[in-house]
């Protein structure tokens, strides 16, 4: 009796069986789609969101990513990052790698090649007034050993500590720039070394340091005197260059690692910036 009733129901309500079959098929398709997604994205998680961040979830700059470092260094070298006090902590290992891993030397070589090409196109006169100006610290001699102890610029500037370092007279020459210096001298240019170092306290140490590192034959070594105490590097160096121009010197080129070496007045016919991501001088 029950069987007959079931058969009659099926014959009277065929749409119910079709609906059931469609739902079953849809459910099966859904299960297959989930399996496909899991196969393609095995690390995907479903369910409640996690409050824990994986390393891949952390922005690159928060981990000292190379992208942030490259952008920061570009801003520094283009003088778009003005008056920065210290290197961002997340850039420390990148600054170290840049300064010690070979890229710094490659950048220097490219810049020195440009300076050399420009200098080769100048006809030096016989009056002895064709001049080049070169900064000293981290332009012709290096303070990288000192800044290594300062986490490559991540620590604030220590005036007393740097003066003690400079007084030792142990700054090594920057080879590429030493070669440029010698070429300029041999070509007949008057090379003038212009530095913000204090003449009274660092004069003898600086002179001996330069001599020991092979810097011979320059026209003048000009250091900061009490007359310029408290003045910015731009103001001080602009005034020195003014005096040189008034003496009759033709400043064909000006090379420095800081923008304050190259800005202001009487800058010279061309300026060349040496890379330095370790510190900023106003």
């Amino acid at each position: 009796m029950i069987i007959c009733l079931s058969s009659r129901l099926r014959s009277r309500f065929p749409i119910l069986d079709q609906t059931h079959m469609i739902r079953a098929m849809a459910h099966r398709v859904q299960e297959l789609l989930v399996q496909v997604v899991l196969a393609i994205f095995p690390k995907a998680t479903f369910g409640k969101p996690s409050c824990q961040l994986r390393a891949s979830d952390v922005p690159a700059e928060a981990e000292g990513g190379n992208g942030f470092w490259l952008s920061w260094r570009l801003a520094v070298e283009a003088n778009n990052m003005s008056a920065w006090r210290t290197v961002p902590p997340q850039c420390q290992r990148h600054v170290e790698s840049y300064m010690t891993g070979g890229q710094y030397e490659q950048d220097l070589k490219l810049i020195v090649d440009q300076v050399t090409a420009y200098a080769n196109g100048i006809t030096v006169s016989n009056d002895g007034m064709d001049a080049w100006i070169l900064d000293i610290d981290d332009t012709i001699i290096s303070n990288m050993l000192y800044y290594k102890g300062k986490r490559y610029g991540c620590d604030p500037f220590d005036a007393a500590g740097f003066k003690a370092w400079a007084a030792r007279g142990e700054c090594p020459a920057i080879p590429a720039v030493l070669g440029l210096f010698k070429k300029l001298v041999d070509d007949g240019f008057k090379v003038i070394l212009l530095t913000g170092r204090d003449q009274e306290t660092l004069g003898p140490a600086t002179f001996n340091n330069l001599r020991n590192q092979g810097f011979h034959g320059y026209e003048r070594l000009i250091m900061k005197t009490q007359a310029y105490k408290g003045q910015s590097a731009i103001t001080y160096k602009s005034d020195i260059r003014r005096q040189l121009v008034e003496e009759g010197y033709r400043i064909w080129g000006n090379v420095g690692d800081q923008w304050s070496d190259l800005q202001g007045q009487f800058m010279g016919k061309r300026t060349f910036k040496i890379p330095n991501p370790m510190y900023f001088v106003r």
Side-chain angles (χ1 to χ4, degrees):
M1 184 67 179
I2 296 174
I3 295 175
C4 290
L5 180 61
S6 176
S7 298
R8 290 175 182 176
L9 287 171
R10 282 197 300 272
S11 63
R12 294 176 61 184
F13 304 103
I15 297 177
L16 294 176
D17 284 346
Q18 293 177 12
T19 302
H20 177 75
M21 291 175 62
I22 292 172
R23 288 177 177 175
M25 290 175 64
H27 181 70
R28 180 57 179 161
V29 170
Q30 185 179 19
E31 290 179 342
L32 290 173
L33 287 174
V34 171
Q35 291 176 6
V36 170
V37 171
L38 289 175
I40 297 175
F41 305 106
K43 294 184 179 180
T45 58
F46 299 92
K48 296 181 179 180
S50 172
C51 293
Q52 297 181 348
L53 289 175
R54 299 186 302 273
S56 59
D57 295 326
V58 180
E61 56 267 29
E63 289 292 313
N66 194 54
F68 175 75
W69 146 248
L70 291 174
S71 297
W72 183 83
R73 185 168 75 88
L74 175 62
V76 166
E77 295 301 339
N79 200 30
N80 291 326
M81 189 74 67
S82 62
W84 51 279
R85 293 177 59 84
T86 59
V87 172
Q90 62 265 43
C91 292
Q92 178 182 345
R93 64 185 179 89
H94 296 292
V95 175
E96 179 179 7
S97 176
Y98 173 76
M99 296 299 297
T100 63
Q103 187 60 52
Y104 172 70
E105 284 79 8
Q106 290 187 43
D107 291 351
L108 272 177
K109 181 181 182 305
L110 178 62
I111 294 168
V112 168
D113 287 346
Q114 295 300 308
V115 177
T116 301
Y118 167 66
N120 286 340
I122 301 171
T123 300
V124 180
S125 67
N126 295 323
D127 63 4
M129 303 305 287
D130 293 309
W132 277 75
I133 295 179
L134 274 63
D135 173 56
I136 290 183
D137 285 300
D138 295 298
T139 297
I140 65 174
I141 56 176
S142 174
N143 294 298
M144 187 172 64
L145 291 176
Y146 170 79
Y147 278 96
K148 179 180 179 180
K150 298 297 181 179
R151 300 190 302 149
Y152 293 94
C154 288
D155 293 340
F157 179 68
D158 176 9
F162 180 78
K163 182 174 288 189
W165 154 260
R168 292 163 55 180
E170 299 175 357
C171 301
I174 298 176
V177 187
L178 175 59
L180 172 64
F181 167 87
K182 290 181 177 180
K183 173 184 170 46
L184 292 174
V185 172
D186 290 343
D187 287 350
F189 290 103
K190 301 302 180 181
V191 178
I192 297 167
L193 305 181
L194 175 57
T195 177
R197 288 189 176 198
D198 179 62
Q199 184 178 45
E200 183 178 355
T201 57
L202 294 176
T206 301
F207 175 82
N208 291 330
N209 194 163
L210 294 171
R211 181 186 59 190
N212 294 337
Q213 291 299 316
F215 292 94
H216 309 291
Y218 52 83
E219 178 78 352
R220 297 185 195 177
L221 168 60
I222 302 176
M223 306 183 70
K224 202 169 189 178
T225 63
Q226 287 296 314
Y228 295 101
K229 185 176 181 179
Q231 293 188 7
S232 69
I234 294 176
T235 302
Y236 155 61
K237 292 195 172 185
S238 290
D239 192 59
I240 295 296
R241 293 192 299 262
R242 176 190 60 78
Q243 295 177 40
L244 292 171
V245 169
E246 290 177 353
E247 290 177 28
Y249 284 103
R250 295 178 291 274
I251 303 175
W252 286 98
N254 185 2
V255 183
D257 70 299
Q258 298 292 315
W259 280 101
S260 54
D261 298 328
L262 312 174
Q263 294 176 322
Q265 299 178 329
F266 306 95
M267 297 176 293
K269 295 183 183 296
R270 282 202 63 179
T271 61
F272 296 88
K273 171 75 168 61
I274 299 293
N276 183 355
M278 298 185 295
Y279 61 86
F280 177 89
V281 177
R282 294 177 181 272

